[in-house]
Amino acid sequence: MNDIDRLGTTILGYPRIGPDRELKRAIEAYWAGTLDEAELQRTGHDLRVAGWRSLAGAGLDTVPSNTFSYYDQVLDTATLFGALPARFTELGLSPTDTYFAAARGTAEAPALEMTKWFDTNYHYLVPEIGPDTTFAVHGRKPLEEYREARALGIETRPVLVGPVTFLLLAKPADGAPAGYRPLERLDSLLAAYLDLLATLHDEGVRWVQLDEPAFAADRSAEELDALTYAYDVLGSAAARPRILAAGYFGDLGPALGRLARSPIEAIAVDLVTAPSAVDTVVGEPSLRDKQVLAGVVDGRNIWRVDADRALAAAATLLGSAAEVGVSTSCSLLHVPYDADRETSLDPRIRGWLSFARQKVDEVVLIGRALHSGTGVVAAELEAARAAVRDRANAPALRDPAVRDRLTRVRPEDSRRADHRTRVAAQQEELALPPLPSTTIGSFPQTADIRRARAAHRAGRLDSAAYEAAMRDEIERVIRLQEDLGLDVLVHGEPERNDMVQYFAEQLRGFAATEHGWVQSYGSRCVRPPILYGDVARPAPMTVRWARYAQSLTAKPVKGMLTGPVTILAWSFVRDDQPLGDTARQVALAIRDEVHDLEAAGIRIIQVDEPALRELLPLHAAEHAEYLDWAVAAFRLATAGIADSTQIHTHMCYSEFGDILPAIEAIDADVTSIEAARSRMEVLGDLERAGFGRGVGPGVYDIHSPRVPDVREMTGLLRTALRAVPAQRVWVNPDCGLKTRGYAEIEPALRNLVAAAHEVRTQQHH
Ligand code: GLN
Ligand code: ZN
């Protein structure tokens, strides 16, 4: 293979939201009508240009394109191939507004469902593919981005979601016959990919990257056959660019051989999530004439690479493939831009970190060491080693008191009385009506709240004034809920910037970044804290707010905490000990808070675990071990309290099918769960799995600005009641309200309470 074909050092994808969330701001301004489409596109253009320049400037051999998105790459793919449902395309909107309508919904057209991208905290929009969906190239995005980069003199490799992964991520469109699967549309989709590949080839594109992460999970023989078929078809095209198939987030297992035997040129493997995948690659004879990209720099976590280990993994592959390139384990979409900007961080901790920019340098470094020998980069390698050593030896990583306490935890510390006993005690204590109405916790984070927090952080508002502002807000929210007639109230979480960061800032063992934003979905970004050392709770974190809120009303106010699994899932977590050990430390900290809330007179405590499903390993063989520690952590955090204290939990954004037994096993009294977009699908499954607890299926999709009317919500409730007896059903939105405005949530909650009343009354007669 000649030089010009080498992938060499590269990355699989790059952040796109902008180092200062420029894209978020532009998109939201466009939605608000204060920025026009041309200006929005200019922001997109500028961000792409800056990204390519920095990648090419860092010395990568090849650079990806089409990794930019105004919302989501799966939605981009559906749009590109003309597969948006008719309810959006028939709205008569511009292409841009049709695209955003599919993402966010409109009054007439509910949005596409949104769910987690594999085991990450990124969310994609679920394509709806029916037997009549036809695919054809409708858009020019990959081509236009390619041209845009070429105009800068940068040759790029357009990245696309692979056809098989795209269909595996899709759900059957409404009205599809029972048993129908989107994969049945593979031929039509492949025809469209072939068409696109031909166009790209004519343009002079040398490489495309097709992402097939769906094959890092267990796949049936039929699905593996579909992979073989698809890459035979694409690989056999007469006119096409070279194809790199990227499988990340785990070991490709049997899919590796399928791809290796197909007529494509290169395969990217993730050697970080699954170091043992090295053996799979070495044992695959069909790779001998292919290029392999060794994904040895972690694309998802923020620790500096262990250069010796990364180099050794890549070097092991030499000889097993025609050419070994070096890359990140997955797209860098999942890490922030630049660790060097974190100047307020303890410099010692900053020295342990690597964000997207640093990871690109690490790829270049390891690539040079691999191909030119360690001698040429001796100083850089030594610096990398020193950083890894410094972290390993840092005293802050181990707190003897925390470790000692954990050795003294007994099994009974995680056990509550049986559920029936608790139901009786709680009914007596709380005397709630049937179908009690509540919310998930947060109320809109208004501009006033954000301003007060910013002023407080900047020292322009002293603590007393800040506390007073938050108390006013809490009082307003309590009064509003009383006025709306909700049965179980919340304090509204005005004091929380984010449900994980808020706790991380008060726990020992965490560090916060200033600019470490990562896209979560659409324009929404999160700033995950860094969990670097042993975790402990020096003082109560939420008690004074909860106590104040409860003092304002006779109705029960729910205390609101984030669970240990979610705290881990939404942080960048130390990788020097098993996750389960870290989870137990966090669980003890939350347990202390639960006990303090109870002592302060809070009778209902919600411990949110929206990420319980997210961390589920992609391979079924690893599920039991994960669920064991995850369930144990939740129980350790929520036991040791009175039978009459009611524990709620909340889950959202995911397919719950694989964790139904765990939802039962965590032993919460009430579980609220996202259900509106999927029209209560999850309930039947829960009940079939023998779930006997309280359940609050969301009847209001809060991811959309749409206000559902009473009939829509009574309809959903009646659907729910076909699966679950009325005495166990709660009425609530899908999730917290913090991203919405009062103009939407007031009428929506009014309708929600009315719907609860209506259905409640009918239950009685
Ligand atoms: N209690 C949180 C809120 O209402 C839960 C958020 C979530 O599930 N992501 O905002
Ligand atoms: Zn939620």
Side-chain angles (χ1 to χ4, degrees):
M1 218 170 292
N2 53 30
D3 254 1
I4 208 149
D5 301 330
R6 282 183 61 232
L7 288 163
T9 50
T10 191
I11 58 167
L12 300 186
Y14 205 63
R16 55 206 179 198
I17 204 77
D20 287 303
R21 290 178 298 156
E22 292 87 345
L23 188 61
K24 170 200 177 67
R25 278 183 246 282
I27 291 172
E28 289 176 357
Y30 175 74
W31 291 339
T34 57
L35 193 80
D36 67 25
E37 190 172 338
E39 290 167 314
L40 173 63
Q41 279 167 4
R42 193 153 48 243
T43 303
H45 168 83
D46 292 349
L47 289 170
R48 291 189 295 271
V49 168
W52 289 319
R53 287 216 163 107
S54 101
L55 295 181
L60 288 178
D61 293 323
T62 55
V63 170
S65 61
N66 200 41
T67 60
F68 177 82
S69 179
Y70 284 106
Y71 205 98
D72 164 47
Q73 69 271 11
V74 180
L75 176 61
D76 290 342
T77 312
T79 307
L80 174 66
F81 292 116
L84 288 186
R87 68 176 184 279
F88 306 116
T89 54
E90 284 165 1
L91 291 168
L93 301 170
S94 71
T96 300
D97 290 341
T98 306
Y99 174 85
F100 285 134
R104 311 171 69 219
T106 68
E108 309 89 61
L112 292 177
E113 201 179 312
M114 183 165 66
T115 196
K116 303 245 173 189
W117 177 245
F118 301 93
D119 55 349
T120 74
N121 183 28
Y122 175 80
H123 306 70
Y124 72 94
L125 290 158
V126 183
E128 298 172 11
I129 305 299
D132 309 321
T133 307
T134 52
F135 298 98
V137 179
H138 274 229
R140 300 161 58 81
K141 182 175 178 291
L143 185 65
E144 280 164 2
E145 285 196 22
Y146 173 79
R147 287 181 177 162
E148 212 173 31
R150 197 178 48 191
L152 306 169
I154 300 171
E155 180 65 28
T156 60
R157 175 180 74 245
V159 178
L160 297 158
V161 177
V164 191
T165 288
F166 178 79
L167 291 176
L168 290 173
L169 293 177
K171 68 178 216 174
D174 268 353
Y180 162 84
R181 299 176 57 211
L183 203 51
E184 292 171 26
R185 300 300 298 140
L186 184 59
D187 273 313
S188 168
L189 182 58
L190 288 175
Y193 271 78
L194 284 172
D195 191 11
L196 178 69
L197 290 182
T199 307
L200 295 175
H201 176 261
D202 291 348
E203 185 70 19
V205 172
R206 293 213 291 261
W207 281 98
V208 293
Q209 174 182 327
L210 300 179
D211 285 357
E212 294 285 3
F215 288 88
D218 302 321
R219 289 296 164 192
S220 67
E222 188 201 349
E223 291 163 342
L224 287 164
D225 289 345
L227 185 73
T228 298
Y229 176 72
Y231 284 84
D232 278 342
V233 169
L234 297 179
S236 308
R240 61 166 178 84
R242 293 179 178 79
I243 295 175
L244 161 67
Y248 43 83
F249 298 147
D251 193 335
L252 285 172
L256 183 74
R258 302 298 190 111
L259 290 169
R261 288 188 291 279
S262 76
I264 62 170
E265 288 72 23
I267 300 173
V269 292
D270 174 347
L271 301 181
V272 173
T273 318
S276 62
V278 167
D279 304 327
T280 328
V281 174
V282 171
E284 183 49 66
S286 314
L287 286 171
R288 299 283 185 269
D289 62 350
K290 302 241 186 296
Q291 295 194 43
V292 170
L293 275 183
V296 291
V297 170
D298 194 344
R300 299 179 55 174
N301 213 336
I302 45 66
W303 307 109
R304 278 185 76 160
V305 70
D306 182 333
D308 293 315
R309 207 190 317 162
L311 185 57
T316 311
L317 304 188
L318 293 171
S320 300
E323 183 76 44
V324 176
V326 174
S327 134
T328 50
S329 62
C330 60
S331 167
L332 294 172
L333 179 65
H334 310 286
V335 294
Y337 276 84
D338 188 358
D340 286 350
R341 292 184 70 197
E342 299 302 330
T343 47
S344 337
L345 211 56
D346 173 346
R348 181 159 190 191
I349 295 178
R350 179 159 30 108
W352 306 337
L353 303 182
S354 166
F355 293 177
R357 231 197 72 195
Q358 288 74 32
K359 283 174 189 291
V360 170
D361 294 339
E362 290 176 342
V363 166
V364 172
L365 170 65
I366 290 161
R368 292 180 63 196
L370 185 68
H371 290 291
S372 312
T374 52
V376 299
V377 284
E380 289 98 322
L381 281 176
E382 195 36 57
R385 286 186 195 114
V388 169
R389 252 192 329 261
D390 183 62
R391 174 157 77 104
N393 298 330
L397 265 55
R398 273 164 290 270
D399 177 340
V402 171
R403 294 188 174 237
D404 178 57
R405 184 176 174 199
L406 270 170
T407 63
R408 285 182 285 107
V409 169
R410 305 154 304 165
E412 56 269 37
D413 294 334
S414 300
R415 244 177 257 137
R416 299 192 69 194
D418 86 49
H419 183 240
R420 249 173 257 287
T421 311
R422 277 147 45 194
V423 168
Q426 290 163 18
Q427 188 47 30
E428 182 167 325
E429 173 74 35
L430 298 165
L432 292 169
L435 296 158
S437 56
T438 190
T439 60
I440 303 305
S442 59
F443 269 67
Q445 288 260 332
T446 60
D448 279 349
I449 297 174
R450 281 200 295 265
R451 251 194 307 275
R453 190 166 41 245
H456 179 49
R457 209 176 327 114
R460 280 179 280 116
L461 190 69
D462 67 23
S463 290
Y466 175 73
E467 296 261 325
M470 293 302 117
R471 281 171 165 248
D472 286 352
E473 177 65 20
I474 289 170
E475 173 156 22
R476 231 176 42 71
V477 167
I478 292 283
R479 296 295 166 242
L480 172 64
Q481 294 172 87
E482 287 185 320
D483 176 59
L484 291 168
L486 287 155
D487 298 306
V488 171
L489 311 192
V490 297
H491 80 288
E493 306 179 24
E495 80 289 7
R496 302 189 188 175
N497 35 16
D498 171 89
M499 65 184 290
V500 169
Q501 194 185 333
Y502 179 74
F503 293 96
E505 280 170 4
Q506 301 184 71
L507 291 169
R508 265 207 299 266
F510 285 88
T513 68
E514 265 183 292
H515 309 283
W517 295 99
V518 177
Q519 184 180 19
S520 172
Y521 66 87
S523 68
R524 190 157 164 71
C525 301
V526 293
R527 202 160 32 136
I530 296 170
L531 194 172
Y532 65 89
D534 283 352
V535 174
R537 187 198 73 146
M541 303 180 282
T542 66
V543 175
R544 69 186 192 284
W545 305 112
R547 184 191 281 124
Y548 175 65
Q550 185 64 81
S551 77
L552 299 169
T553 177
K555 291 201 167 164
V557 172
K558 272 195 280 194
M560 201 56 64
L561 303 173
T562 302
V565 178
T566 299
I567 289 183
L568 293 197
W570 295 352
S571 301
F572 292 117
V573 181
R574 63 193 295 179
D575 56 0
D576 60 344
Q577 65 179 23
L579 269 184
D581 293 359
T582 310
R584 274 157 60 83
Q585 297 183 356
V586 179
L588 282 181
I590 300 299
R591 179 185 177 93
D592 292 345
E593 191 72 12
V594 165
H595 291 187
D596 285 347
L597 282 170
E598 182 184 56
I602 302 300
R603 294 169 293 164
I604 305 182
I605 300 166
Q606 179 171 312
V607 179
D608 291 325
E609 282 291 20
L612 186 64
R613 170 66 179 79
E614 177 181 319
L615 283 195
L616 186 72
L618 298 180
H619 290 290
E622 294 154 33
H623 286 187
E625 190 202 335
Y626 161 70
L627 290 172
D628 266 0
W629 69 252
V631 167
F634 188 92
R635 294 180 64 140
L636 179 58
T638 54
I641 52 173
D643 296 350
S644 59
T645 300
Q646 192 168 68
I647 294 287
H648 288 213
T649 189
H650 166 71
M651 297 176 193
C652 52
Y653 306 143
S654 27
E655 308 283 331
F656 297 101
D658 295 326
I659 58 160
L660 296 171
I663 297 178
E664 166 93 15
I666 58 171
D667 201 26
D669 299 297
V670 179
T671 300
S672 63
I673 200 158
E674 175 179 334
R677 278 197 196 184
S678 60
R679 308 210 182 81
M680 308 278 128
E681 246 164 41
V682 56
L683 286 188
D685 304 340
L686 254 186
E687 293 304 303
R688 274 188 291 281
F691 189 71
R693 316 298 170 94
V695 60
V699 294
Y700 160 25
D701 169 17
I702 61 87
H703 296 109
S704 155
R706 223 176 121 254
V707 174
D709 59 22
V710 179
R711 260 192 36 173
E712 183 175 334
M713 291 195 270
T714 54
L716 287 173
L717 277 176
R718 290 199 183 95
T719 306
L721 289 170
R722 283 202 287 276
V724 188
Q727 65 273 20
R728 290 203 276 111
V729 175
W730 286 63
V731 184
N732 48 256
D734 264 346
C735 194
L737 306 170
K738 62 174 166 257
T739 57
R740 298 262 70 94
Y742 277 97
E744 302 150 14
I745 68 121
E746 270 202 53
L749 290 179
R750 220 171 274 289
N751 292 348
L752 181 143
V753 171
H757 279 264
E758 189 180 319
V759 176
R760 187 183 293 165
T761 319
Q762 282 157 358
Q763 291 299 312
H764 279 274
H765 300 294

